[in-house]
Amino acid sequence: MSASQDLPVTGASTAAVGLIGALALGIGALLVTVAQWGAKLRRRGN
Amino acid sequence: MGLMREVFLISTITLGGIVLFLIVAAFGYGFLRPERVTRHGERPEFPRYRPVAPDEVAIMIACRNGAATIAGAVRAARATGARVYVVSDASTDATAREAAEAGAEVLELTENVGKPAALHAGYVRFGLGTAYRAVAILDDDVLVAPDFVTAALAHLTERVAIVVGHNVTWWPPERRWNPWLAKRAYSYWNYQAVVRRIQSHFNVMNCISGSNSIYRTELLDVLLPQQPPYIVDDTYWVLETHRRGLGRVVYAPRATALLQDPTNGRDWYKQNLRWLWGTFQGIIGHRVGRRNTRFDYAYVLLMAHWLLYVLGAPLTLWLLATAGPGLGTGLLLLLAGQGLWVALAAWRLRRPRLLLFLPTIVLADLLYRVILVHALVKAIRQPTVDRCVWASPTRFAVPATTDA
C-alpha cells in the first residue's frame, strides 16, 4: 500500500487541475498533430 | 467595466497569439525534423504476455511478528483455491507456527531483512518464478475475498503486468465509532472511485496497493532481486514497471480485500507520512516529470493537484473571511460540499453512520495537508533509504470468520 490514498479528490483544487489538464491535453494533442502533418509533408517532398 | 474589458481583450489576444505561435512552431519542428516525429501506430508496445489460469497463481505473504493476524490472512487466502507461501521475517512470536497450521508453506528467516528482501527470499526458495505465472503479494493482516484471484485474473490481459485489488477498510462493529477507520473507509472509496479508475484507464497509476495486488512472475523476476531505495516497496515497483515499459498497471474493482487500517491519530499520521515520504522519494529518485511520457504528464498534473490542495485550504479560508457570504456561511457551504461526497460514500459503502463522521473527516483532511508538507521535507532530507524496514500500526486479531 502506498501514497496518496488518503487524499480525497473533491472540491475546487481538483476541478482546477482537471481543467488545466484538459486544456493542456487538448493543446498538446493539437501540436502533436500539426507536427505530424509537417513531418508528413516533408517526407512526401523528399 | 472598461478596465475588465481591456484585461479580457488583452489576455485573449495574448493567449491566442501564443497558441498560434506554438502551432506554427510545431509545424516547423515536424517539417525540419521529421525523423523525430513518431508516426501513428509507431509507439513501442508493451510485451505480450501469456494468459494466466487460476491454478497458475500463488499467494505470498511476508510477515514479521504477525501471529495475531497471519492465521486469518492465510485462511482467507487459501479460500481462493491458491497455494499460500509465508515468509516469516525473523519473527520472535508464533507467526511461523500459526501460518503453517492455517495451511501455508513457511520459510523462516533468521535475520530481519525487511519486506522486499523477505519476499525475494521466499520467491527464490519456493521457486515461484518457475512454478507459477503470477503471484499475489498480500500483507499479513489482509483478508481477501474467496473470488479475489479470479476477479483479478479477469483484468490480467496480455499487456497487463500488475493488477491492483480493491481496498475496503475492515471496520468491525466493535470499532464502529472509530473516526480514523471512518476517515480511511471514506478515503479508500473516494480514491478508488475516482483517481484509481481514471489512472487505470489511461495506464498512469502512480500508487498501487502493496497489500493486495497480483504481479506477473516475468515482472517479479526483474523487480524482486532489486533492493528498493524507497521506504515504500510498491512505489518503487510501480515506477520501475512504468520506466522499463514492462506492461500496464490496472485496477480490478471486484478483487476485494479487507485491510486493517490505523485506529488512532498517531498511527494514522505515521502511516500516511511513510506512504507520502515514499511517494516523494519516488518522484525525486525516478525524476518524475522529466520524460515525455503520458505517465510523467499525468503525474505532473497530480502534483499540481497536491499543490493546489495544500495552498487551497488557507486561500479558501482567507477568501471566505474577506469576501463572499462571510466566514460562517462560507464554511457551512464547504461542509455541505464535502457532505455530498461523504453521503455518496455512505450510500455506496452501505455505512449510513459515515455521515456522522463528516466533521472529523474534514478535520483529518486539514491535517493531511500538514503531512504532505512534512513528507516532502522528509524526502528532500532523506531521498533514499538503505533498507525498506518499518514498524506497522497496531493490529488487532482477526476472528475466524468475519462478515465486516
Side-chain angles (χ1 to χ4, degrees):
Chain A
M1 175 70 48
S2 74
S4 46
Q5 296 188 43
D6 239 333
L7 175 62
V9 279
T10 54
S13 59
T14 315
V17 167
L19 188 67
I20 295 169
L23 278 174
L25 196 67
I27 292 174
L30 177 72
L31 294 181
V32 168
T33 311
V34 171
Q36 279 173 343
W37 180 40
K40 199 171 149 188
L41 283 186
R42 175 71 181 270
R43 285 190 197 111
R44 262 193 209 156
N46 286 342
Chain B
M1 281 311 278
L3 180 72
M4 282 300 286
R5 228 174 78 182
E6 211 165 293
V7 168
F8 177 73
L9 277 174
I10 290 174
S11 46
T12 311
I13 291 167
T14 314
L15 278 176
I18 291 172
V19 171
L20 265 179
F21 172 77
L22 285 175
I23 288 173
V24 173
F27 181 86
Y29 183 77
F31 194 80
L32 296 173
R33 296 268 180 88
E35 74 282 358
R36 298 197 66 170
V37 179
T38 49
R39 284 177 227 199
H40 281 298
E42 253 184 9
R43 283 193 207 109
E45 280 284 0
F46 294 131
R48 191 185 289 265
Y49 294 112
R50 294 222 305 257
V52 177
D55 62 353
E56 293 174 313
V57 178
I59 293 179
M60 180 159 60
I61 304 173
C63 171
R64 176 170 165 80
N65 294 338
T69 58
I70 189 71
V74 169
R75 271 195 290 271
R78 293 270 296 148
T80 64
R83 291 186 75 163
V84 181
Y85 301 87
V86 170
V87 185
S88 168
D89 188 7
S91 298
T92 51
D93 63 2
T95 294
R97 197 187 69 231
E98 291 277 341
E101 282 177 8
E105 291 188 40
V106 181
L107 168 66
E108 285 190 75
L109 302 178
T110 50
E111 192 193 340
N112 177 210
V113 291
K115 185 182 157 193
L119 287 171
H120 183 229
Y123 189 75
V124 172
R125 177 68 69 87
F126 294 124
L128 302 187
T130 46
Y132 298 95
R133 303 205 59 80
V135 178
I137 296 180
L138 307 181
D139 278 352
D140 60 2
D141 56 353
V142 164
L143 301 175
V144 289
D147 63 348
F148 178 82
V149 170
T150 46
L153 284 186
H155 293 263
L156 197 66
T157 49
E158 60 181 11
R159 305 281 186 199
V160 174
I162 303 176
V163 177
V164 181
H166 175 71
N167 308 338
V168 178
T169 293
W170 188 42
W171 198 6
E174 64 271 22
R175 288 171 194 269
R176 68 171 74 88
W177 300 117
N178 187 301
W180 304 104
L181 290 180
K183 161 71 178 145
R184 187 56 67 78
Y186 165 69
S187 297
Y188 274 160
W189 171 81
N190 184 298
Y191 187 85
Q192 295 177 123
V194 184
V195 175
R196 187 157 275 169
R197 275 177 189 274
I198 296 174
Q199 288 190 331
S200 175
H201 179 82
F202 291 105
N203 186 33
V204 293
M205 213 183 287
N206 70 313
C207 149
I208 59 174
S209 301
S211 56
N212 52 313
S213 294
I214 293 192
Y215 309 79
R216 284 191 185 268
T217 47
E218 290 94 332
L219 184 77
L220 293 177
D221 288 340
V222 177
L223 297 184
L224 277 185
Q226 306 175 38
Q227 180 67 18
Y230 312 140
I231 193 66
V232 183
D233 44 5
D234 46 276
T235 294
Y236 179 71
W237 295 340
V238 73
L239 287 171
E240 280 291 282
T241 304
H242 285 300
R243 187 177 72 84
R244 294 165 178 251
L246 294 173
R248 291 178 63 89
V249 183
V250 302
Y251 165 51
R254 289 181 198 283
T256 303
L258 288 173
L259 271 57
Q260 282 207 22
D261 291 302
T263 50
N264 61 65
R266 196 182 141 82
D267 282 352
W268 181 82
Y269 189 99
K270 276 172 66 178
Q271 191 189 55
N272 274 314
L273 181 65
R274 185 175 71 81
W275 285 351
L276 285 171
W277 176 27
T279 302
F280 285 123
Q281 284 184 324
I283 291 169
I284 297 169
H286 269 75
R287 298 172 173 231
V288 171
R290 303 271 288 273
R291 294 168 75 208
N292 182 23
T293 68
R294 190 201 287 175
F295 176 72
D296 284 67
Y297 172 75
Y299 214 144
V300 167
L301 269 187
L302 195 64
M303 286 188 267
H305 172 238
W306 296 341
L307 189 71
L308 283 177
Y309 171 77
V310 171
L311 297 180
L315 199 70
T316 311
L317 289 179
W318 177 71
L319 273 176
L320 286 178
T322 54
L327 190 60
T329 323
L331 282 178
L332 277 178
L333 274 173
L334 280 184
L335 208 62
Q338 187 83 7
L340 277 178
W341 277 101
V342 176
L344 210 56
W347 168 51
R348 296 299 297 151
L349 294 171
R350 296 192 193 91
R351 304 268 193 211
R353 65 174 178 270
L354 203 54
L355 271 172
L356 298 175
F357 289 98
L358 179 60
T360 51
I361 288 174
V362 170
L363 284 177
D365 191 40
L366 285 173
L367 186 59
Y368 195 83
R369 292 161 163 92
V370 178
I371 308 178
L372 257 172
V373 177
H374 187 168
L376 177 63
V377 173
K378 204 170 163 70
I380 291 169
R381 293 173 63 151
Q382 231 180 308
T384 54
V385 290
D386 294 333
R387 283 201 315 160
C388 206
V389 179
W390 65 87
S392 294
T394 320
R395 266 82 182 259
F396 35 96
V398 180
T401 56
T402 175
D403 58 351

